[in-house]
Amino acid sequence: MSNLQENFSFAGVSCGLKLSGKKDLGAIFCKKKALTFAVFTQNSVAAAPVKISKKRLNKNKFIRAILVNSGNANAATGIDGFNDAIEISKNFSDLIGIEEDEVLLASTGIIGVRLDKSKIISKIPALVDRLTLNNHLDFKESIMTTDRFEKEYFETISSKECGGIYIRAYAKGCGMICPNLATMLVFITSNINADEKILKEMFINCVNKSFNAISVDGDTSTNDSVFFMTDMSCPENTINNREDNLIIEFEKALNRCCIKLANDMVRDGEGSTKILEVRAIGFANEENAKKVASNIAKSTLVKCAFFGSDPNWGRILCAAGNTNLIDEDSVSIKIFDTEVYNKRPINFDKESLSKKISDNERVIIEIYNNSGDKSFTFYGCDLTFDYVKLNSEYST
């Protein structure tokens, strides 16, 4: 790992957007042009940075930098907010010496308050200077809002042709989390040199199985973005075969990365105490399995039951039935390894199962159908008093 050469550098500073004085302005910079993909929130009220980044990626898929701020979402701020973001971007690109369209933007924080661009612009020189120090710790802090802990991932894949293929990723997100995407920002960098279509397909597949398979509270936000950047430096010759061993191993690692970060967001769900891992098994197609699993994970009644360590299978069955994709006479339900329903109620040790739920941070819920061989896993969390408290005090 110490011999691995990375062309990406990271930095973070405080510019005063957060009243706490914590770092709130960050940047990622690549020494060379990086092939870049991204997926963005599908909320129709998309923030200015999302609109700008989407437009730039549509014209140019080779990016040099991402500029990020926390503490203010720059969402629902109209043309003024859009122009503020453009001006900030221009200042950054001019100072760092790259084209304006080579910079993507990301913001997170309070919605509907105009961004104080002067605070950001005044700190851009310090931010650019700190990029030379490549301070990952500062960057991680700069993207956080109500997160309780930092979310990161690093893995290397051995390669005889170069020093190794790596994945480095940082993320933020803990509330307003629900597909398709939500208040999350994810930044993934790598050095893999592979066909553009292959990489994009892998990236989308991994996002769909992770960041688009989680829910904290059923709300989809205005700013959320997942970025993937690679400088394409390893191996020397571009991999064009989808069955190449390096590509197969890379996809597995990227999937591990995305699922780990997505689970971190659910685990950090505002006030949450448990991850709910809902597995829908035995469906005619993956889409149906996902609908059933997501309905269970997003059910307010299910979330409340597991906060109280109550193995209330009736709420699980009800949430699944709301999809009109299951029949009570053809399904079975397990909580952990305890079957609680199989076409009819089953006697089980409720006290013992309740204690197991109470003792574990992750609760496994499985619903089995008899209509096919497709499955999908969706991740959610419990609903707690702290969630209500946190969000009742969070100003727009």
Side-chain angles (χ1 to χ4, degrees):
M1 180 172 161
S2 58
N3 296 324
L4 188 64
Q5 183 66 41
E6 296 183 49
N7 285 316
F8 291 93
S9 55
F10 299 77
V13 298
S14 173
C15 69
L17 294 179
K18 291 177 180 173
L19 296 178
S20 65
K22 291 182 178 179
K23 294 179 179 62
D24 47 17
L25 183 64
I28 302 172
F29 177 70
C30 190
K31 294 177 184 178
K32 52 193 289 191
K33 293 185 178 184
L35 177 64
T36 303
F37 308 113
V39 290
F40 300 98
T41 179
Q42 294 185 20
N43 192 313
S44 61
V45 186
V50 170
K51 293 175 181 176
I52 293 167
S53 294
K54 286 177 75 172
K55 185 176 180 181
R56 289 180 177 176
L57 273 176
N58 283 338
K59 293 197 307 185
N60 171 37
K61 56 181 175 287
F62 289 95
I63 300 298
R64 295 288 304 278
I66 304 177
L67 183 66
V68 194
N69 78 269
S70 59
N72 187 308
N74 196 9
T77 49
I79 189 63
D80 290 333
F82 188 89
N83 289 336
D84 289 342
I86 292 291
E87 185 177 345
I88 290 166
S89 172
K90 184 72 164 60
N91 271 268
F92 178 73
S93 61
D94 285 349
L95 191 59
I96 209 164
I98 59 178
E99 295 296 320
E100 188 176 358
D101 283 350
E102 293 178 320
V103 179
L104 302 183
L105 302 173
S107 300
T108 182
I110 294 173
I111 294 171
V113 177
R114 189 169 175 185
L115 195 62
D116 191 335
K117 64 183 178 183
S118 62
K119 288 183 176 179
I120 293 179
I121 291 170
S122 69
K123 288 295 184 178
I124 286 177
L127 181 68
V128 171
D129 284 346
R130 293 191 69 79
L131 278 169
T132 59
L133 302 176
N134 194 17
N135 197 323
H136 302 90
L137 293 176
D138 286 349
F139 178 79
K140 284 187 288 185
E141 181 184 326
S142 73
I143 66 176
M144 295 169 67
T145 51
T146 57
D147 302 65
R148 290 181 292 182
F149 58 86
E150 297 168 343
K151 302 165 183 70
E152 60 185 320
Y153 188 90
F154 186 87
E155 181 175 348
T156 57
I157 301 159
S158 298
S159 171
K160 296 178 181 178
E161 300 178 56
C162 57
I165 295 174
Y166 73 88
I167 295 173
R168 179 183 293 282
Y170 300 109
K172 68 82 53 181
C174 55
M176 287 182 83
I177 298 290
C178 184
N180 291 313
L181 300 187
T183 300
M184 67 173 78
L185 297 178
V186 182
F187 308 92
I188 305 169
T189 59
S190 182
N191 60 345
I192 187 167
N193 182 11
D195 175 75
E196 177 187 336
K197 290 181 179 178
I198 292 175
L199 287 177
K200 187 172 185 179
E201 178 188 294
M202 286 195 310
F203 171 62
I204 297 298
N205 286 343
C206 289
V207 167
N208 285 337
K209 292 177 181 177
S210 55
F211 303 114
N212 275 340
I214 59 174
S215 176
V216 168
D217 48 21
D219 279 316
T220 299
S221 186
T222 53
N223 287 60
D224 308 302
S225 314
V226 179
F227 300 94
F228 173 85
M229 306 176 76
T230 175
D231 64 22
M232 303 186 76
S233 62
C234 181
E236 184 176 345
N237 296 317
T238 304
I239 302 170
N240 292 303
N241 181 4
R242 188 70 173 80
E243 303 304 316
D244 186 283
N245 283 335
L246 272 179
I247 281 290
I248 292 171
E249 290 305 310
F250 181 81
E251 183 170 18
K252 290 177 182 177
L254 184 60
N255 199 50
R256 285 192 292 271
C257 168
C258 293
I259 287 178
K260 191 268 184 185
L261 294 177
N263 270 257
D264 280 350
M265 290 178 193
V266 173
R267 185 162 59 91
D268 196 18
E270 293 168 341
S272 73
T273 64
K274 299 185 186 306
I275 295 176
L276 306 181
E277 181 174 324
V278 184
R279 305 169 182 171
I281 304 165
F283 286 79
N285 54 64
E286 192 175 275
E287 182 182 357
N288 286 356
K290 183 174 183 178
K291 285 179 181 177
V292 170
S294 66
N295 241 46
I296 295 169
K298 291 188 286 186
S299 165
T300 303
L301 290 176
V302 170
K303 292 158 75 70
C304 288
F306 284 99
F307 172 58
S309 300
D310 179 10
N312 192 331
W313 58 263
R315 292 182 176 181
I316 297 169
L317 187 64
C318 179
N322 282 329
T323 64
N324 294 315
L325 293 171
I326 62 109
D327 189 292
E328 64 180 293
D329 296 324
S330 65
V331 299
S332 61
I333 298 170
K334 281 185 178 180
I335 300 174
F336 292 114
D337 56 356
T338 300
E339 192 169 51
V340 295
Y341 182 89
N342 190 339
K343 302 177 185 177
R344 62 180 64 84
I346 289 178
N347 289 325
F348 64 94
D349 187 339
K350 183 176 179 180
E351 186 177 339
S352 175
L353 185 54
S354 179
K355 186 179 187 306
K356 188 169 184 178
I357 294 169
S358 178
D359 291 345
N360 283 273
E361 183 185 70
R362 180 182 297 265
V363 179
I364 309 297
I365 303 166
E366 295 182 338
I367 181 164
Y368 295 82
N369 202 20
N370 289 306
S371 58
D373 61 357
K374 301 300 181 183
S375 61
F376 196 89
T377 301
F378 201 95
Y379 304 92
C381 65
D382 57 351
L383 182 61
T384 71
F385 301 121
D386 284 344
Y387 176 85
V388 177
K389 186 176 187 297
L390 280 164
N391 283 285
S392 66
E393 296 173 349
Y394 193 87
S395 175
T396 297

